[in-house]
Amino acid sequence: MIPPPSILRAPALALVLAGAAACAPPAGEQAAGDPRALLAQEIAPLALPRGERPSTLAERLAENVDPARDGWDTEVLSDAVGERLKALAQHLQRPAAAERTERLAAELAAWVDPGFAGTALLPADLRVVQDDAPFTVRRGASPPATTRRGPAGLARALAELAEVLGGGEPHVKLKLVGIERGATDFTTEVRYEAGRAGGEHAVQQTARWRARWSYPAAGGGPRLLGLELLRYEEVEAGGALFGDCTAAALGADPSYRRQVLPGIDHWLPRVSLLAGMSLVGHHGLAVGDADGDGLEDLYVCDAAGLPNRLYLQNADGTARDVAAAAGVDWLEPSSSALFVDLDGDGDQDLAVATRRRLLLSENDGGGRFTLRASLHDVVTSSSSLSAADYDQDGDLDLYLCAYDGDAQNQGLPGPVPYHDARNGGANVLLANGGDFRFADATAAAGLDHNNDRFSFAAAWEDYDNDGDLDLYVANDFGRNNLYENDGGRFTDVAARAGVEDVAAGMSAAWGDYDRDGWMDLYVSNMFSAAGNRIAYQRRFADAARERAADLQRMARGNTLFRNAGDGRFDDVSLEAGVTMGRWAWGSRFADLTNDGWPDLVVANGYVTGSEPADL
C-alpha cells in the first residue's frame, strides 16, 4: 500500500519505485538470497549524505522531501500548478452568476496570460450514451471548436461548466496526472471531477484537460497559456440511490454514541499502545442472521482496545448492541469476521480473525455464542478471512490471508522489492474436520506456492466452470494469485491466465458482467495521480529500466478482466472505463438499476479525521 501524499511526496515515491526496480529479479524469476540484502539494495537510492544521522526506510520516506533538492524540477512545477488548480476548484465551487463571472475574470488575470487561448470546457454536441433510470449519461461526440480567449474567456468557460451543476456549492476536485516539459513552456494533464447532489436531482461531471503553462518567472508562478478539453462525461440522476441511515439505525444504542462517534482521534491517546490500536482502520465486518429471526444482523470489528460489536436488527430497522451478552465483545485487534455455518447445524456461527488468533464461536441458534476454538499463530498478521468448501466434502473450510510478519523476515520495514515483494506473511488454508476442529491444509492442497506476497483479500469462484471452487488472491505488493482447483489440489495459474495484475491489490470480486456464462474478475487497486505523473517521465523510466511498465501499471487503478472461456482473461479495463476507483479497498458487482446487468460498487478512501487536509 502506497503511503498517503501527506507522508510520502512524489519524488520520494519515484525513488522508492526506482529502487525497487533496480533490485528486482528478471521477469518470471523469484527473488533469491537474504531478504536483507535485497532491502539494502532498495534503500541505496534513499541514502542520506555523509554526516547526516542514519535513518530507517520509514523515517526517510516520512520526511518532507524537497523536489528541488532532489532534482525533480517537474515536481517543483507540479507543486506550483497545484496551487493554480486549487484556485480554479474554488472558483468552480462558487455560484455562476453573471456578475460573479466578471469578478472571476479580474481574479484570473493575476495568473492567466492575456494571450490565453483555449477551448470551451463543454462539448458542443453532447449526446446521450445511456439512459437507464435513474441515470442519464452524456458524452461529447467531438471536441469543442469554440475558442475562449484571455482571462474573460476562461471565466466564461468555467461559468458554462458550473451552470450544468446548478446552484449551491458543488464538490470540485482537480488532480494533476501528467506533466511534460517543452522548450519554451510545459503542459500538464488534469483530471476534473465535480458533483452536486441534493433533493430530487444530482449531477456529476468528469473530464480530462490539457493545460499549457509558461515557466515561472523570477518571483512568480507559472501563467496559464491555454486549456484544452480532451474528453468529457456527464451523469444526471433523478435523486440519490442511497441515503445514509447509520444514525437512524444505530443512533439509539449507547455504544454508537459512546464508542463510534468519537472517532479514532479521540481513542488513540486514551488506549494503551499495548493494546495495538492503529490509526489505519483495517477492521472488517460481517452480515448474517445471528439470532435466527429472519433479519440480517451486523458484527463490527473495532480498533484494538475497543470491544467488537454485535448489532441485532429490530423489527423497525433499528439495531441494538448485544456483543457482551452474546459473548463476542473481544478487545483484540480484529481484521475480519464471517457469519458462517461451521458445524452444519443450520445457524450462523462466527469466525473472527485477530492479529494472532483465529476465534471460532458456536451459535446456539438464538444469538448466543460459545468460543469453541482459539487457533494461535495461524498467521502472524491476518488481513482477511473467507470460507468455501474447497474439497467438496460438505463442510465449509476457511482461508486466512496474511499481510506481513513472516518469521524469517522479522525486522524488515517493508516489502522487497516494492512492486514484486516476496517477503510477506504466508496465507493459510484450514480444512474443516468437524466439531470445530480445523487442520492446516495449505501445503497438502498446493496453496503454499507463491504464498508470500502481502495478501489483503481472497475471493472464491468456479471461473473455469468445472464444478469446483477456484481461488483468487489480491496482494498489496506482489503479483496476484489465481489458484485453479483440481479435485482439492491447487495450481497457481495467474501468469498463464493473464491475471497477475502487478499493482497494489486490495480486493477482488467475481461477476459475469457481460452475461456470457463465464465469471469475470474485477480487482481493486490504487489510482495515484503522483504515480501517473512521475512514472511516465523519461528520468524515471531510465532508472526503472525494464520494470518501468510494471511500475506505471501500479498507478493506473482498478482492473476488469474478461473471462475468455479458454483459461485466459483479457484486460478490458480501459475500454470499459473502470480503472478510476481512487484508493479502492473493496468492490462488488451488484445490479443497482434492476436491469439485469451487474454494475460495480467501489469503496475507497484512506484516513479520515479532524485534519481538514487529510485523505
Side-chain angles (χ1 to χ4, degrees), residues 517-582:
W518 295 90
M519 296 300 284
D520 310 299
L521 177 65
Y522 188 64
V523 184
S524 296
N525 298 308
M526 286 185 174
F527 170 86
S528 168
N532 277 279
R533 193 171 63 239
I534 292 172
Y536 286 90
Q537 295 183 38
R538 180 176 296 278
R539 177 183 176 186
F540 180 86
D542 289 344
R545 301 188 297 275
E546 70 275 6
R547 298 295 170 180
D550 281 348
L551 298 173
Q552 291 164 358
R553 170 66 193 84
M554 289 192 75
R556 191 188 75 175
N558 296 353
T559 305
L560 176 61
F561 290 111
R562 179 185 175 275
N563 193 333
D566 59 358
R568 290 191 53 80
F569 291 76
D570 299 318
D571 185 345
V572 296
S573 312
L574 295 177
E575 50 264 51
V578 296
T579 59
M580 181 54 175
R582 300 181 176 86

Side-chain angles (χ1 to χ4, degrees), residues 233-433:
E233 180 179 271
E234 178 181 301
V235 181
E236 187 175 2
L241 268 180
F242 297 95
D244 185 353
C245 62
T246 311
L250 306 180
D253 190 273
S255 72
Y256 179 73
R257 300 189 301 273
R258 182 174 61 245
Q259 183 172 331
V260 180
L261 287 183
I264 197 69
D265 287 346
H266 170 85
W267 289 115
L268 276 171
R270 290 171 169 81
V271 176
S272 169
L273 286 174
L274 297 177
M277 180 175 282
S278 170
L279 172 68
V280 181
H282 290 164
H283 314 298
L285 55 81
V287 176
D289 184 3
D291 56 356
D293 65 354
L295 299 174
E296 298 279 42
D297 307 306
L298 177 66
Y299 187 80
V300 181
C301 299
D302 213 327
L306 298 175
N308 293 349
R309 288 159 282 131
L310 173 58
Y311 290 107
L312 295 185
Q313 185 178 170
N314 301 316
D316 62 359
T318 62
R320 64 195 188 279
D321 178 19
V322 300
V328 291
D329 56 337
W330 294 299
L331 300 174
E332 283 81 4
S334 306
S335 61
S336 185
L338 287 177
F339 279 122
V340 62
D341 186 4
L342 293 174
D343 53 6
D345 65 354
D347 56 29
Q348 299 289 292
D349 305 306
L350 181 64
V352 178
T354 72
R355 182 168 180 83
R356 295 292 185 182
R357 292 179 182 270
L358 176 60
L359 306 176
L360 305 178
S361 296
E362 182 180 9
N363 191 344
D364 68 357
R368 293 184 65 86
F369 294 85
T370 301
L371 184 63
R372 293 292 307 276
S374 176
L375 306 182
H376 178 64
D377 278 343
V378 179
V379 299
T380 52
S381 177
S382 63
S383 54
S384 68
L385 183 63
S386 60
D389 184 9
Y390 84 94
D391 52 4
Q392 298 182 314
D393 65 353
D395 293 322
L396 285 173
D397 311 295
L398 297 172
Y399 187 76
L400 189 59
C401 285
Y403 195 73
D404 54 13
D406 200 330
Q408 75 178 54
N409 296 322
Q410 288 287 344
L412 289 178
V416 181
Y418 184 84
H419 71 299
D420 198 8
R422 302 302 301 268
N423 64 311
N427 304 339
V428 175
L429 174 67
L430 296 172
N432 191 338

Side-chain angles (χ1 to χ4, degrees), residues 185-209:
D185 52 41
F186 66 99
T187 59
T188 61
E189 276 210 24
V190 179
R191 177 179 171 85
Y192 163 77
E193 298 179 6
R196 183 188 61 79
E200 299 299 317
H201 187 71
V203 181
Q204 175 182 293
Q205 299 168 317
T206 57
R208 278 286 182 119
W209 300 341

Side-chain angles (χ1 to χ4, degrees), residues 130-150:
Q130 181 178 343
D131 193 357
D132 184 9
F135 298 116
T136 300
V137 182
R138 303 180 183 91
R139 295 190 184 116
S142 59
T146 308
T147 300
R148 305 298 188 195
R149 298 191 180 279

